[in-house]
Amino acid sequence: MRTGEWRQKKTKSLVSLALLVGIGTVLHTVIPGFVFGMKPDMMLTMMFIGIILFREKKYVLLLGVLTGIISGLTTSFPGGFFPNIIDKCITSFVFYGLLLASGKLAKKLPALIVFTAVGTLISGIIFLGSAFFIAGLPGPFAILFGTVVLPATALNAVAMFILFPIVSTVAKRTNAAHSMQA
């Protein structure tokens, strides 16, 4: 690949990732905190879609850090800035590991929905655990897990079911995603 083509592909990838993060930011901002300031994290779904479409470690790291910072800045959870960064950085690589370990299964929508649910559960546990140690929890872990993490898991799975086919079709038509080329 020539230098110009490589730069164009890299720019297209970064713009596509920025759009996904931007959409995630809007969704994360407009959803209100409802149980002790916690809210479902739609930013995760967009991060997961970005990882699915751009399966490179550098993009996984970029998405994890960026979505963590933005989620931290827009959180309604008391003391939730650093737990969001910790959670997204770890969860992004766990999700990436699930994709790599699953091989060709990682291109099937049902598997991606399951991975989204698992990733959301992991994210919720990491977030609540790190928040417990950094800032304390505003309520019992079990209550927060049951009233926010579990519903968020279902919501993110449904969002993946709806959004991924749309985003992947657009990515294929615009030749934007790396993993969709195969």
Side-chain angles (χ1 to χ4, degrees):
M1 184 180 300
R2 294 190 327 247
T3 304
E5 291 173 0
W6 178 80
R7 281 190 186 143
Q8 184 178 16
K9 185 175 181 179
K10 187 174 179 180
T11 301
K12 191 181 277 190
S13 298
L14 291 173
V15 168
S16 298
L17 290 171
L19 286 170
L20 290 172
V21 171
I23 293 166
T25 302
V26 170
L27 292 172
H28 189 74
T29 303
V30 299
I31 294 176
F34 55 88
V35 179
F36 299 113
M38 272 189 81
K39 57 185 171 181
D41 192 351
M42 293 299 295
M43 180 78 86
L44 272 175
T45 305
M46 302 316 286
M47 180 180 83
F48 293 157
I49 290 173
I51 294 169
I52 293 164
L53 296 176
F54 301 93
R55 296 181 194 189
E56 292 183 39
K57 284 180 244 169
K58 63 185 175 187
Y59 295 132
V60 174
L61 177 63
L62 177 66
L63 281 167
V65 171
L66 193 56
T67 58
I69 291 170
I70 293 171
S71 291
L73 291 172
T74 59
T75 190
S76 58
F77 188 86
F81 181 75
F82 290 112
N84 265 296
I85 295 172
I86 293 166
D87 145 41
K88 299 299 185 297
C89 289
I90 295 170
T91 302
S92 63
F93 278 99
V94 169
F95 188 82
Y96 180 62
L98 284 172
L99 290 176
L100 292 180
S102 65
K104 290 185 180 189
L105 189 62
K107 292 190 181 224
K108 306 282 186 203
L109 183 59
L112 296 176
I113 293 168
V114 170
F115 295 160
T116 298
V118 169
T120 303
L121 287 172
I122 290 168
S123 172
I125 291 168
I126 293 169
F127 177 83
L128 289 174
S130 58
F132 174 78
F133 288 110
I134 293 172
L137 296 177
F141 184 95
I143 298 290
L144 293 170
F145 187 81
T147 58
V148 179
V149 176
L150 292 179
T153 300
L155 182 65
N156 285 352
V158 169
M160 181 63 76
F161 175 75
I162 294 167
L163 294 175
F164 184 74
I166 296 166
V167 173
S168 66
T169 300
V170 170
K172 285 178 187 175
R173 287 185 181 166
T174 61
N175 202 20
H178 300 166
S179 68
M180 304 306 290
Q181 304 303 316

